[in-house]
Amino acid sequence: QGSPTVGLDAVAAHVPALVSASEEFSAAVARGHLLTKILEFERGFAIVATLTPDAMLLLLVGSGADLGA
């Protein structure tokens, strides 16, 4: 089965809320800044990495991707 088309604008619009929630969680657990977020879904993963205070990298990968061990 083919994968659905990803709406890049819609994805980008949700990243700030994800980052905000991550920052709040980071403060609550007192472990420093959360640098990488990995979200696992039924059909793949979303990985958000903080590169600098002003830049983040979002990777969307399929469920068959080898993320390493």
Side-chain angles (χ1 to χ4, degrees):
Q1 297 197 24
S3 62
T5 301
V6 174
L8 298 180
D9 290 337
V11 171
H14 285 83
V15 171
L18 176 63
V19 171
S20 178
S22 298
E23 289 173 352
E24 290 176 20
F25 182 74
S26 176
V29 297
R31 295 288 188 259
H33 293 288
L34 183 59
L35 303 176
T36 305
K37 305 132 198 73
I38 301 174
L39 304 170
E40 183 177 4
F41 300 96
E42 291 176 5
R43 294 188 307 256
F45 299 87
I47 303 166
V48 181
T50 301
L51 303 177
T52 70
D54 297 321
M56 289 187 290
L57 175 66
L58 170 65
L59 301 172
L60 298 175
V61 296
S63 58
D66 182 3
L67 300 182

